[in-house]
Amino acid sequence: MLKKLKDWILPKEIDFFGSLYKQSIATKAVIEKLIEYYSSDSNMDHDELFSLIEEAKNLRKIHIKELNSTFITPVDKEAISRVYTHLNWIVLSIKHLVIEADIYKIFDLKDYKNILDILLKEINELTSGIKYLSNKNYDKILLSIDKVINFDDNLIKEYASALAIIFQKAEKGQMEQKEILSQIKEISKRIHFCANYLEDIVFKLN
């Protein structure tokens, strides 16, 4: 009886940063599956990729509902929500990339291996930064953020180089390749935004 009364009076403790980390892990899984899908020699079914995208979207709904229903948070709700928003945009951008690639009949992205490798490094660093929030290791978070931003710079250089090759060829189907590259750049931009908002949380906590 006392426990029930306590649960009713005292607010439930929620590990907001732990939830954010889980969301980042789910986002990372989508990027990993994307790279696996477009690096394979066989025509893989992308149902598994879409399933991971759906899981990430549903997980976000749970976490946002959790965030919205709580009065006490370690930083303002908007700061946490912004990271969720851009993690969601990463997943949506991947979905858009796959839809466009299907329409253009592009079944592999092996020519863009360097770009995809950088993308994976970016999300790994972002996920590490979010993980460090729980134990308040702000120096490591800021280091991860700095790496994300540097990786994004490197990706833009790779993007420009790949685009230059496309323009030089100027053959049928090259504009479709440009659109796919543009979607990959969008994913990187969203990871960069997430890193910026993570930095915002650090400054509010520190």
Side-chain angles (χ1 to χ4, degrees):
M1 182 68 182
L2 184 62
K3 185 182 182 300
K4 284 185 181 177
L5 191 63
K6 206 169 155 187
D7 289 343
W8 185 72
I9 295 169
L10 295 174
K12 180 185 168 188
E13 281 191 29
I14 297 170
D15 181 6
F16 291 103
F17 296 150
S19 295
L20 206 54
Y21 176 62
K22 286 176 187 172
Q23 191 70 46
S24 189
I25 287 286
T27 306
K28 185 163 85 86
V30 174
I31 290 180
E32 287 170 340
K33 185 56 69 176
L34 172 82
I35 294 170
E36 181 189 341
Y37 178 74
Y38 285 107
S39 301
S40 174
D41 287 324
S42 59
N43 288 330
M44 290 171 61
D45 193 314
H46 53 42
D47 285 353
E48 195 175 347
L49 176 56
F50 279 146
S51 177
L52 287 173
I53 288 170
E54 201 59 34
E55 281 176 30
K57 282 170 64 181
N58 290 334
L59 189 62
R60 176 184 173 271
K61 286 178 187 174
I62 292 167
H63 290 152
I64 288 295
K65 187 177 178 183
E66 182 182 75
L67 182 65
N68 190 48
S69 64
T70 311
F71 293 106
I72 302 167
T73 54
V75 290
D76 58 278
K77 290 182 181 184
E78 290 81 7
I80 299 171
S81 176
R82 279 192 289 268
V83 181
Y84 277 123
T85 297
H86 285 285
L87 283 172
N88 188 50
W89 263 110
I90 293 166
V91 171
L92 283 176
S93 295
I94 290 170
K95 185 178 181 181
H96 297 162
L97 186 155
V98 176
I99 290 168
E100 284 194 43
D102 278 358
I103 292 169
Y104 303 147
K105 301 190 185 308
I106 295 170
F107 303 113
D108 79 72
L109 297 173
K110 291 175 188 172
D111 289 345
Y112 310 132
K113 184 183 181 301
N114 289 348
I115 294 176
L116 294 173
D117 285 347
I118 293 170
L119 205 60
L120 187 57
K121 287 175 184 176
E122 273 190 89
I123 193 64
N124 280 335
E125 282 301 332
L126 180 68
T127 302
S128 294
I130 291 172
K131 186 179 181 181
Y132 294 135
L133 276 174
S134 293
N135 56 15
K136 300 179 180 179
N137 199 329
Y138 303 133
D139 287 341
K140 284 191 175 180
I141 297 170
L142 294 174
L143 184 61
S144 286
I145 290 165
D146 190 50
K147 285 181 180 178
V148 168
I149 293 166
N150 286 332
F151 282 138
D152 185 43
D153 288 343
N154 292 338
L155 189 140
I156 296 302
K157 289 173 189 172
E158 287 288 341
Y159 167 83
S161 299
L163 213 54
I165 293 168
I166 288 172
F167 289 149
Q168 283 168 10
K169 288 180 180 176
E171 296 170 2
K172 186 179 179 298
Q174 298 306 312
M175 291 310 294
E176 288 87 342
Q177 293 280 350
K178 178 185 177 296
E179 285 301 315
I180 294 301
L181 268 176
S182 180
Q183 282 293 351
I184 295 172
K185 188 173 76 165
E186 179 70 16
I187 297 164
S188 179
K189 183 171 76 176
R190 294 296 169 181
I191 297 174
H192 189 151
F193 282 166
C194 275
N196 290 149
Y197 292 129
L198 181 59
E199 188 175 52
D200 183 46
I201 289 173
V202 172
F203 292 154
K204 287 177 179 179
L205 286 168
N206 205 354

